[in-house]
Amino acid sequence: MLAVTDLHTYYGESHVLQGVSLDAARGAVTAVLGRNGVGKTTLCRSLVGLTPARAGRIALNGVDITRLPPYRIHRLGVSLVPQGRRIFPSLTVRENLAIAARGDLDRVFSVFPRLAERAGHRGNELSGGEQQMLAIARALVARPLLLVLDEPTEGLAPVLVAEVAAVIRRLREEGTSILLVEQNVAFAVKLADWAHVMSRGRIVHSTDPAALWNNEEVKTQLLGVPPAGAGARPRRDL
Ligand SMILES: Nc1ncnc2c1ncn2[C@@H]1O[C@H](COP(=O)(O)OP(=O)(O)O)[C@@H](O)[C@H]1O
Ligand SMILES: [Mg+2]
């Protein structure tokens, strides 16, 4: 469904995406994993047209969207849930969702019953988990074909991480394709059908998630996961 080929994106002179190539299959959860600063958010922004790529190609179902403005990419069915949620703190849940649509709020509230209960509460009255649900709900109002989630578990307590996982599973069952951008490797490998590993502006490894989980070298060197059995022992190599 999504085919990214040799994508290059800059902030001014700073060359951040240095030839990203990846695919995401229809109906699948595709993970993009990588440490802080490797360019994950920049990739998300290029996909939705917010920071357009300077070279390379992004195709959605065979249609070249590389140079389209954000509103047209959104209309073609790609929605981003940005890192840090970016909901409107002084607006209610209902108002935050109404800004996104025209769409059908009943469906969104059926996926997120807790938001239905909180429909009249302001964004700043929600818990971190509820804010993340609202950010996802807002992206879903448009009924996207491809949902791009930029670090949805960042800063969430484990019980809320489990809720985000349940939402992702449900959306996948309903046929939404998902690009799951994460630093939380354990979370992503449980949900993903395929995983890409990013390092310094490139995809350096593409793999079955189970194989990734068993690849100690990639996990420790590229993803910062402590070596198996390391537990809480102090690291003598630092
Ligand atoms: N708006 C910006 N202007 C200049 N440099 C940026 C900007 N946003 C991010 N960067 C730089 O681009 C690199 C990749 O950042 P980012 O895409 O946010 O990585 P990640 O999401 O993987 O943590 C980092 O070196 C970061 O400092
Ligand atoms: Mg980021």
Side-chain angles (χ1 to χ4, degrees):
M1 135 164 293
L2 180 75
V4 177
T5 314
D6 198 21
L7 208 65
H8 292 259
T9 301
Y10 295 71
Y11 295 107
E13 293 301 297
S14 172
H15 189 181
V16 174
L17 298 189
Q18 304 191 3
V20 169
S21 297
L22 64 83
D23 290 327
R26 187 190 318 265
V29 175
T30 305
V32 176
L33 301 168
R35 293 178 134 160
N36 216 11
V38 298
K40 301 182 302 298
T41 293
T42 305
L43 172 62
C44 294
R45 292 182 59 86
S46 288
L47 291 177
V48 299
L50 291 171
T51 304
R54 227 179 260 180
R57 187 171 192 266
I58 306 165
L60 182 72
N61 292 322
V63 176
D64 188 342
I65 62 167
T66 321
R67 272 162 251 297
L68 296 183
Y71 77 93
R72 290 203 43 205
I73 295 173
H74 189 254
R75 261 191 222 159
L76 287 171
V78 185
S79 286
L80 170 66
V81 179
Q83 187 168 10
R85 290 135 209 176
R86 309 262 167 185
I87 60 163
F88 294 100
S90 63
L91 301 185
T92 65
V93 165
R94 197 187 301 285
E95 288 163 345
N96 266 281
L97 293 172
I99 280 174
R102 283 194 321 175
D104 133 34
L105 292 192
D106 290 347
R107 170 177 169 272
V108 171
F109 281 142
S110 87
V111 180
F112 301 98
R114 185 121 51 111
L115 289 183
E117 289 164 21
R118 296 262 195 276
H121 287 59
R122 292 183 202 285
N124 58 14
E125 295 168 339
L126 304 178
S127 71
E130 288 166 351
Q131 289 181 22
Q132 184 62 63
M133 296 304 168
L134 176 55
I136 296 173
R138 188 173 55 183
L140 288 179
V141 173
R143 288 185 169 267
L145 302 173
L146 177 68
L147 184 66
V148 180
L149 296 163
D150 191 359
E151 297 210 34
T153 69
E154 189 183 26
L156 294 187
V159 58
L160 298 172
V161 170
E163 284 188 28
V164 174
V167 167
I168 291 173
R169 286 201 180 94
R170 166 149 181 197
L171 294 174
R172 183 186 181 283
E173 279 164 20
E174 289 178 1
T176 308
S177 307
I178 295 170
L179 195 70
L180 176 61
V181 173
E182 265 296 345
Q183 284 197 54
N184 184 341
V185 183
F187 172 80
V189 298
K190 274 184 234 152
L191 292 166
D193 299 287
W194 193 251
H196 300 285
V197 177
M198 209 170 162
S199 176
R200 295 186 192 168
R202 288 192 184 90
I203 302 296
V204 293
H205 206 72
S206 295
T207 175
D208 175 78
L212 177 65
W213 191 245
N214 292 316
N215 189 331
E216 290 296 328
E217 197 179 325
V218 168
K219 273 202 304 183
T220 55
Q221 291 182 9
L222 296 173
L223 299 172
V225 177
R233 272 185 288 142
R235 288 187 57 187
R236 297 191 187 284
D237 55 340
L238 291 179

